[in-house]
Amino acid sequence: MRTSYGTAQTRSATSRGRNSWTARCNESMGSGLKPQLALDTNVLFDLADGRDFATTVLEVLAEEKATVKVCPTVLVELEYEINHPSSEQKARRAEKAFQCFHTWNITPFSLAPVQHAIAKEFSDSLQNAGVLPHGELHDGCILAEAALCPLEFLLTSDQHLLSIDSEKLQAIFKAQDLPKVQIVSPRHLYVLLKRM
């Protein structure tokens, strides 16, 4: 009987967490819309490894009927890991990510050549403004690609992205005439869901 109550209590807390997640997303995107996110390469690796925080967050997104996409630069990074692996483990993770897009209900998208140029220019602007360290071209491109899609959130574990000064980032989005993208940590989201 006690176990049953605990399970019901856990389900109720999880439902509140999910409702809170939906409310935050709807607040950001406008009433009635479902969450729209891009996943960074590191989140795909976490999913390939079956990490609890990543799979739980993906399950919640699926239940909320979220749109989950993968940017072109993320596809390039996965392909690079397969063809020029820095380790056998990373190559296996990249291959599994490619194989599981359909199962995970994740959709890769492409951009027009001019949009790739816009993404590179945006990334250069972030580096020149000191918002991202020099050499982090892909991080800035992924942000711009998410904006160009347009997606409202980028789910990432990358510390360069998570530690960005949000005011400076928003100013550069505005200067480049791109919609803003909010950067979200899957681990942070997982902790919030477990607490609720």
Side-chain angles (χ1 to χ4, degrees):
M1 189 78 159
R2 191 171 194 192
T3 305
S4 185
Y5 172 74
T7 303
Q9 193 175 30
T10 301
R11 280 192 196 126
S12 175
T14 304
S15 293
R16 283 195 307 272
R18 291 175 184 168
N19 290 339
S20 175
W21 163 248
T22 303
R24 285 194 303 274
C25 290
N26 284 342
E27 220 173 78
S28 297
M29 295 183 285
S31 177
L33 298 177
K34 295 296 179 184
Q36 298 182 40
L37 303 94
L39 300 185
D40 200 355
T41 310
N42 49 58
V43 177
L44 293 172
F45 284 163
D46 291 333
L47 287 168
D49 288 342
R51 294 200 166 183
D52 191 41
F53 72 88
T55 56
T56 299
V57 167
L58 191 64
E59 287 169 10
V60 171
L61 292 173
E63 287 176 14
E64 297 299 330
K65 303 201 183 328
T67 300
V68 183
K69 296 195 176 191
V70 175
C71 301
T73 296
V74 170
L75 296 175
V76 168
E77 290 181 344
L78 290 174
E79 188 175 321
Y80 186 84
E81 279 301 333
I82 292 169
N83 295 322
H84 308 282
S86 56
S87 73
E88 189 61 37
Q89 180 190 22
K90 276 194 173 180
R92 281 194 303 271
R93 292 158 86 194
E95 286 174 3
K96 183 171 182 180
F98 267 123
Q99 293 167 357
C100 290
F101 283 157
H102 180 72
T103 305
W104 293 336
N105 201 24
I106 296 171
T107 309
F109 67 92
S110 59
L111 295 172
V114 70
Q115 292 174 306
H116 286 288
I118 291 168
K120 185 184 180 313
E121 182 181 321
F122 178 82
S123 186
D124 289 341
S125 296
L126 291 177
Q127 292 173 78
N128 293 336
V131 176
L132 276 177
H134 285 282
E136 294 297 328
L137 176 70
H138 284 184
D139 288 349
C141 286
I142 290 167
L143 268 173
E145 291 166 356
L148 288 162
C149 188
L151 301 168
E152 303 273 347
F153 299 92
L154 172 63
L155 207 58
T156 184
S157 297
D158 188 311
Q159 288 306 309
H160 291 121
L161 290 168
L162 293 169
S163 63
I164 282 180
D165 179 316
S166 61
E167 287 182 20
K168 287 182 181 178
L169 176 62
Q170 299 316 320
I172 294 173
F173 272 127
K174 187 174 181 177
Q176 298 280 328
D177 200 27
L178 289 172
K180 69 179 181 176
V181 174
Q182 294 182 33
I183 301 167
V184 181
S185 162
R187 284 182 178 90
H188 179 71
L189 182 56
Y190 175 73
V191 169
L192 288 176
L193 290 170
K194 285 194 72 146
R195 286 183 186 164
M196 297 179 177

